[in-house]
Structures are given as structure tokens and as C-alpha cells.
Amino acid sequence: MPKVGIRDVARLAGVSTGTVSRVLNDHPSVTDELRARVRSTIEELNYLPDPSARSMRSKVSRLIGIIIPDLTNPFFSELVQSAEQAAADHGYDIIVMTSLDNAVKEADRIGQLTSRKVDGIILVPSNDFHTIMPPKGLPIIVVDRLMPGYSGIAADHRNGVRLGVEHLLKLGHRRIGFISGPKDSVPANDRLMGYLGAMEQIHGDRQAASPSLIAEAAFDYESGRLAGNYLLARARNERPTAIFASSDQQAIGCMRAAHDLGIPVPAALSIMGFDGIPLSNMTTPRLTTVKQPIQKIAAVAVAILLNKQPVPDLDHPILLACEILDGETTSKPQPD
Amino acid sequence: MPKVGIRDVARLAGVSTGTVSRVLNDHPSVTDELRARVRSTIEELNYLPDPSARSMRSKVSRLIGIIIPDLTNPFFSELVQSAEQAAADHGYDIIVMTSLDNAVKEADRIGQLTSRKVDGIILVPSNDFHTIMPPKGLPIIVVDRLMPGYSGIAADHRNGVRLGVEHLLKLGHRRIGFISGPKDSVPANDRLMGYLGAMEQIHGDRQAASPSLIAEAAFDYESGRLAGNYLLARARNERPTAIFASSDQQAIGCMRAAHDLGIPVPAALSIMGFDGIPLSNMTTPRLTTVKQPIQKIAAVAVAILLNKQPVPDLDHPILLACEILDGETTSKPQPD
DNA sequence: TTGAAAGCGCTAACAG
DNA sequence: CTGTTAGCGCTTTCAA
């Protein structure tokens, strides 16, 4: 079965290859009649255009590259999945690459994608990202870990955390601990700002945002556990009655710390996380958390790359709102 | 900056394009001297071959497709990540697609990959997979959910579960409950076989594999919780002293069920999971589980597609051994 | 609006 | 061993 090419279609439809090509590319200047005839011939022959040949001529590959630090992180895997769905809706395919937070690998991957002539790149920069000069004409959109100088899109971490902390404040908590992310991380700092902002609103409470209520940690489970330990291993009347963690995994680690110290959650300690990964719904008790609009982030990123939506200004990344996912780890504070 | 092509390299190196091409493809018949000269010119010009042009002539795309049901499932995302690493080692890129367990979407994706001329497909078939006739010449290797008629590679679920159940038996457990996977799932059945096989070894114990000790469930958390409830909500002397779940998520759901019923784990109930996803290490207490060799599965699948390793016989899929990951959810049974 | 024809950048005969 | 050359399948001028 010799594979069917554009000439076969042209011959059978009684037109030129040029016309078939125009139909394929929705070029306006083709008679409805011819268009219909060609379409049905394509159908009949079960013709599929060859992407390589197409891309070679047209400089368009219908391919989008996505580079993330680690697919094992549920946040990123959901991001990739959402991007894939969004891209598929437009006939685009996704090439995934993981940098493992290694700047060298990352640069290498970007080069790889460039030579593949992908039509755009969605990039979650590695933590030690080095400035990169992508060939102009290759749109790169940075997601989540925003970088000055690149068009970006992310959740509104700052307001998201603020929302979460206010939730705790409304419940009556005042000594609210905070587990921050690594301080060289952009999203981590935004989250910290959100916390500080919310705490400042509490007038007349000196302890509101005391430094001793803040523990720096990586975003993972174990770091969260250690940070939780640090915040909780103190006299009861100095110990926070609630802890807001910068990631769900931290929050879960913190739950473990509380457990080990014999502090019941949420009776004696409220805990909130951030991210809204599926995992947050599988803990006992279920974690109350702030959910990032991952799907929307992916959809918008793809839309921008496909020119369905204007590229955001370099100085004004698109920020999408978070929402609270109510769980079982928050309640009113116990009286001291 | 006009982009540099193979002719530029040829001209500057003082050879023909043919020779450059041969160097590019490691064709043996090129003098070391010329090879070196060409290589350095390539370096100097920063030349990158155009994959589209290459693929058009050579019918090789250096692309491999991977289709999985759901990237949100940690097992699959680890699989994809491992495949990406393995492929990158050989200069290959990965196109990911998710079928969401929808056979129509799946068939569509396979077509998409075919027309992309990927050099091979790694497929985790959707649950309602329909037989597919991939164009011959396009190697497809089925992973995890083995299908008769396709070359396959997977963890040795049967022996893995057997190992796990024997672990419980050695601890002294006899009434060991089993949460199975959906019965139309191949791996689920293999796991069930492993359980039954291990239980049969216990001579003289009528109750060994009593049907009432087996609960069917989907692989997710909530189904595991319900199944756990079913197995545990009975008189203490009829209740299993240990439960082996067919997935980590089920096991975690089951932990929740035990918690809700006031049954301490592992004091009054041992629980084991299956998969060894990162999540299993983040529960309180940490889950004891049977780990699948995901990374190895991916590496072997890629190696096969790149012809670094022989294609397995259709009737003899490659099975890779699992190992026990010791956690805190197993202990000796309490006396009745 | 449509057809004819010239390549896109590379590989693979085929000569030499 | 190396150079020459003819396309791969498609898009896109350029004329008609």
C-alpha cells in the first residue's frame, strides 16, 4: 500500500497540488465547489499530510515544547496534562522535557526544541536558570516561576496566600505560623508577601508576623516536616495555633510533625497548604488548601503561543486567581 | 543572521554536502581527517541539522510517542519522566499524549503519532482499548497493561504481590484481606493471582483466601476507602488483621477507613500497598508497599524501540521484578 | 481563482 | 572514500 500523497489527491480531484494545499491550509481563495471536492477526495483517500514536509516549507511544526523541572511533582504533571489537552484541541502536539532543575540540561533542551522548530515553548525555569537568548521568532512563555524579561503567566500566589491566611484569621487564629519556600524562589517570595500582607491587617497584635513564626524550607514533604517541628516544638502558649504552608507537600509533612508531637489536627492546630494537588484530598484528615488554577494557566499559555490571545506585556505577567479548597484541617483555635 | 545549512558547512570545510551528511550520520566510510575537519566546522558554525528535512528524507524522526491514560496518576508521570530521560540519552525526544481512558481519543492520538512519523510508540492502553492496527513498521510497545498480540513490558505484578503477601504471612498474619483492582484490568488480575497464589501456600487454613476477604475496587483513593470500610466493618474476630491493597492510593484510602473506624495502624491492622509512588512515603504512618521498577520499565521500553534490545516475543512479555519498600504500616498481628 | 514550477534542507544512490 | 545529483512531500511565488 503505497502511501497517498498530495498529488494523488490532486489527480483524483482533478485539480493541481497547489489547490489541494490551499484547501489544506484554509486559504480563502478557493471556490467552495473545489474546496468541497478536494475535501471529499481527501476523506476518500484517507490522506494525511506529512508534517515533516509541511514544516520544512512552512516553518510551522504544530509542535509545542514544554520544559519543566520535574514531572514527579504533581503540580507540574497536572500542568503538562492540561497543556496537552489544550494543545490537542488546536491540532498541536506537545514535546515534554524535564530539566531536573539543572541549568545546563535546561539550556540543552531549549536548543533541542529550537532546532525542532517548535512553534513555542512553555518553560518553568529551573531554579538555577541562566538567562537564555532564544532565537527571536520563537515565543517562550514562562510559567509559574516568573522571570523578569520574559512574558509570564502564573497563579496569583500573593493574593492566594492572603486569602488563605485571612481564612485562618476569620476563624479566630492570631498566632499563625508560616512555612515559606526557598528564598531564592520567586513564587515562594510572593507567597511570603501574601502572608505578611494578611498579618499586617491585624492591628494591635504585636506578635502578628513575628519572625519566630516563619520557617524557611524547601517545598517538599520532609522539609515541611522539619519546619513544622521547628514551629511546634515550643511552649504551648507560644506555639502557633495555625500554620500556613507554602505547598501541600510541606503541609502534609507538617501534619506528620504535629502527629509526632501529639498535637491533634485540627483540634489543637489548624493547617493549610497551597497548590491543591490531588494528594491534598487523600490525607487524613483532608487538607484544607489554596488551589492554583493549573488548568487555566496551561490553557492560557497555549492560547498565547497559538496567537489566540495577545502576548502579555513583559512587565505585567498574567496572574490568575486561586481559590480555597475546604478540607478538615482547619477549625477555631482552642483557648490558651 | 541567515541560518546555516549543510552547504555552508560543506563549503567552509572544503568538502561536499554528502560528506557532511555522512559525518552527521556516523557513516563509517569517512576519513578520520575529514571527519575531524567537518566536525570542527560544524562546531564553529554552530550548525544544527534541520530535523524536518532530515526526517523527510530518511524516514526517521528521532521522536517517540508515549500515550498514557492519565498523567495525574503518579505511576504514569514517573513512567513518562523516566522515558524522557532514557530517550534524551539517545538524542530522542518524546511526544506525550493522554487518552483519559477514552478509546476514541486514544485511536485518534495513535493516528496523530503515526502521521508524525514517530519512530515508535510506548502505549499504556486505555481501559476500553479497541484493537488497533498500527501501520506495520511502526513499533508499538505496550507497557503495564499488557495486551495479547502486542509486545509488552511490565512489572511482574503477580510475583510482586506474592512477595508482599508473603511478607504479611511471615509476620504471622492469616486473615489477610485483599483489595483488588477493577476486574477488567489485566494488571489487576495479575495482582489478584499473586494474592491467591500466596494464600494457597497456607495449608490447613480454610479461611486463607475466603471470598469475603476480597473486595473489588477501582485503583483510586476513594474506592480504596470504601473497600477498606467493607473489609473492616465486621466483628473483630472476622475482620482481617492485615490488608493488601492493589495500589498505594487504595491503601491510603484504606488507612483512612481504618482511622474512621478507630482501628489503629499498624497496631490492630497492617496495611500494604502496591506501586511505590512517592506518595507512599508521605503518609502517616509511612506506607509499606511493593515498588514497581518504573524507571527500568521505561528504560527497557525505550531501548527496544531504538533497537538497542530485541523486541520481546508477542507471547512472552518482559516482566521486571518488584521489591518491597518497608514502611510503618505493617507489624505482627494482635492476638484475637 | 487556479496551475505550473521552483525549491525548503537534507540523504542516498550512483559514479568516479 | 568522496563528490554529484536527484528527489522526499509540501508550500508558495509567478503567470495565466
Side-chain angles (χ1 to χ4, degrees):
Chain A
M1 162 182 135
K3 99 193 60 155
V4 25
I6 200 176
R7 322 138 81 83
D8 302 300
V9 177
R11 195 177 322 120
L12 195 60
V15 298
S16 73
T17 61
T19 300
V20 177
S21 173
R22 284 175 201 117
V23 172
L24 248 32
N25 296 284
D26 289 317
H27 194 94
S29 65
V30 182
T31 331
D32 282 353
E33 190 210 326
L34 276 195
R35 183 184 304 280
R37 184 136 52 99
V38 171
R39 285 246 168 82
S40 81
T41 310
I42 287 178
E43 201 73 15
E44 187 180 338
L45 257 41
N46 219 302
Y47 163 75
L48 280 178
D50 178 330
S52 310
R54 238 175 158 178
S55 142
M56 183 156 85
R57 284 294 311 200
S58 64
K59 301 328 187 187
V60 172
S61 60
R62 289 173 178 279
L63 235 32
I64 288 182
I66 180 165
I67 303 180
I68 55 174
D70 174 17
L71 202 53
T72 274
N73 181 323
F75 174 78
F76 296 136
S77 59
E78 192 173 340
L79 183 73
V80 171
Q81 167 133 295
S82 303
E84 195 268 327
Q85 301 291 326
D89 289 345
H90 299 282
Y92 271 68
D93 294 331
I94 295 266
I95 294 186
V96 249
M97 299 183 158
T98 50
S99 65
L100 303 183
D101 261 320
N102 172 338
V104 176
K105 214 165 208 163
E106 183 173 43
D108 176 80
R109 301 293 206 251
I110 291 182
Q112 186 90 351
L113 288 177
T114 305
S115 79
R116 277 271 183 221
K117 295 217 181 53
V118 297
D119 296 340
I121 294 182
I122 296 175
L123 172 67
V124 179
S126 70
N127 277 330
D128 51 345
F129 174 81
H130 297 317
T131 305
I132 266 164
M133 261 317 294
K136 60 183 171 163
L138 207 198
I140 291 194
I141 176 146
V142 166
V143 161
D144 187 48
R145 302 181 181 173
L146 303 179
M147 313 272 318
Y150 296 82
S151 330
I153 164 169
D156 189 340
H157 299 110
R158 190 161 176 163
N159 274 313
V161 171
R162 182 186 212 104
L163 223 63
V165 175
E166 279 170 357
H167 180 71
L168 294 170
L169 288 168
K170 270 181 220 146
L171 284 170
H173 293 277
R174 285 302 174 269
R175 281 201 311 281
I176 302 177
F178 185 74
I179 303 179
S180 80
K183 65 167 166 293
D184 58 346
S185 150
V186 178
N189 276 316
D190 284 348
R191 293 175 203 178
L192 177 58
M193 291 301 109
Y195 165 75
L196 294 175
M199 293 300 271
E200 268 174 19
Q201 295 180 332
I202 309 302
H203 299 301
D205 187 350
R206 292 204 149 278
Q207 269 201 55
S210 141
S212 70
L213 284 175
I214 301 178
E216 190 187 324
F219 281 123
D220 63 290
Y221 169 84
E222 187 58 19
S223 305
R225 191 180 68 75
L226 293 170
N229 243 338
Y230 164 75
L231 291 173
L232 295 173
R234 46 184 90 170
R236 173 143 188 189
N237 61 352
E238 293 186 0
R239 182 212 286 166
T241 63
I243 292 180
F244 190 100
S246 287
S247 80
D248 286 342
Q249 311 206 15
Q250 282 177 345
I252 294 168
C254 186
M255 284 170 71
R256 171 72 193 224
H259 167 92
D260 289 349
L261 290 167
I263 303 172
V265 173
L269 175 71
S270 289
I271 296 184
M272 281 188 75
F274 191 91
D275 277 344
I277 58 181
L279 179 51
S280 65
N281 209 27
M282 298 184 203
T283 54
T284 302
R286 290 181 214 276
L287 183 64
T288 298
T289 187
V290 176
K291 179 167 179 52
Q292 295 198 50
I294 304 187
Q295 213 173 317
K296 200 161 183 181
I297 292 176
V300 172
V302 168
I304 291 172
L305 290 181
L306 303 193
N307 294 312
K308 307 284 181 191
Q309 194 171 318
V311 177
D313 194 279
L314 285 192
D315 305 319
H316 297 285
I318 298 180
L319 296 184
L320 300 172
C322 299
E323 62 174 332
I324 290 183
L325 239 50
D326 229 322
E328 308 162 333
T329 54
T330 44
S331 70
K332 301 196 174 190
Q334 282 179 323
D336 271 339
Chain B
M1 160 182 138
K3 100 190 57 146
V4 25
I6 200 175
R7 321 138 82 82
D8 301 301
V9 177
R11 196 176 323 118
L12 194 62
V15 298
S16 73
T17 62
T19 301
V20 177
S21 174
R22 283 176 203 117
V23 172
L24 248 32
N25 296 284
D26 289 317
H27 194 95
S29 64
V30 182
T31 330
D32 282 354
E33 190 210 325
L34 276 195
R35 182 183 305 279
R37 184 136 51 99
V38 170
R39 284 246 168 83
S40 81
T41 310
I42 287 178
E43 202 72 17
E44 187 181 336
L45 258 40
N46 220 303
Y47 163 75
L48 281 177
D50 179 333
S52 310
R54 246 180 149 174
S55 143
M56 183 156 81
R57 282 294 315 202
S58 65
K59 299 329 186 185
V60 172
S61 60
R62 290 173 177 278
L63 232 33
I64 90 178
I66 179 165
I67 303 180
I68 56 174
D70 174 17
L71 203 54
T72 275
N73 181 324
F75 174 78
F76 296 135
S77 59
E78 193 174 340
L79 183 73
V80 171
Q81 166 133 293
S82 303
E84 196 268 328
Q85 302 291 327
D89 289 345
H90 300 282
Y92 271 67
D93 294 331
I94 294 265
I95 294 185
V96 249
M97 298 182 160
T98 49
S99 65
L100 302 183
D101 262 321
N102 172 337
V104 176
K105 215 165 208 162
E106 184 173 44
D108 176 79
R109 301 294 205 250
I110 291 183
Q112 186 89 351
L113 289 178
T114 305
S115 79
R116 277 269 183 223
K117 295 221 180 50
V118 297
D119 296 339
I121 294 181
I122 295 176
L123 172 68
V124 180
S126 71
N127 277 330
D128 51 344
F129 174 80
H130 297 317
T131 305
I132 266 164
M133 261 318 292
K136 60 184 168 156
L138 208 198
I140 291 194
I141 176 146
V142 166
V143 160
D144 188 48
R145 303 181 181 172
L146 302 179
M147 313 272 319
Y150 297 82
S151 332
I153 163 168
D156 189 340
H157 299 111
R158 191 161 176 163
N159 275 313
V161 171
R162 183 189 212 103
L163 222 65
V165 174
E166 280 169 356
H167 180 71
L168 294 170
L169 287 168
K170 270 181 220 144
L171 284 171
H173 293 277
R174 285 301 174 268
R175 281 202 311 280
I176 303 177
F178 185 74
I179 302 179
S180 79
K183 67 167 167 290
D184 58 346
S185 150
V186 177
N189 277 315
D190 284 349
R191 293 174 201 178
L192 178 57
M193 291 299 111
Y195 165 75
L196 293 175
M199 293 301 271
E200 266 174 21
Q201 296 180 330
I202 310 302
H203 299 300
D205 186 348
R206 292 204 149 277
Q207 268 200 57
S210 141
S212 70
L213 285 174
I214 301 178
E216 190 186 325
F219 281 123
D220 63 289
Y221 169 83
E222 188 57 19
S223 305
R225 191 181 67 76
L226 293 172
N229 243 338
Y230 163 76
L231 290 172
L232 295 172
R234 47 184 89 170
R236 174 150 188 182
N237 61 352
E238 293 185 0
R239 184 212 284 165
T241 62
I243 292 180
F244 191 98
S246 289
S247 80
D248 285 343
Q249 311 207 16
Q250 282 176 344
I252 294 167
C254 186
M255 283 170 70
R256 171 72 193 223
H259 168 91
D260 289 348
L261 290 167
I263 303 173
V265 173
L269 174 71
S270 289
I271 296 184
M272 282 189 75
F274 191 93
D275 276 345
I277 59 180
L279 179 51
S280 65
N281 209 27
M282 298 184 201
T283 54
T284 303
R286 289 181 217 276
L287 184 64
T288 299
T289 187
V290 176
K291 180 170 177 51
Q292 296 197 51
I294 304 187
Q295 214 173 318
K296 201 161 183 183
I297 291 176
V300 172
V302 168
I304 291 172
L305 290 182
L306 303 193
N307 295 313
K308 306 284 181 191
Q309 194 171 317
V311 176
D313 194 278
L314 285 193
D315 305 319
H316 297 285
I318 297 179
L319 296 184
L320 299 172
C322 299
E323 62 173 333
I324 290 183
L325 238 52
D326 229 322
E328 307 163 334
T329 53
T330 44
S331 70
K332 302 195 176 189
Q334 283 178 320
D336 272 339

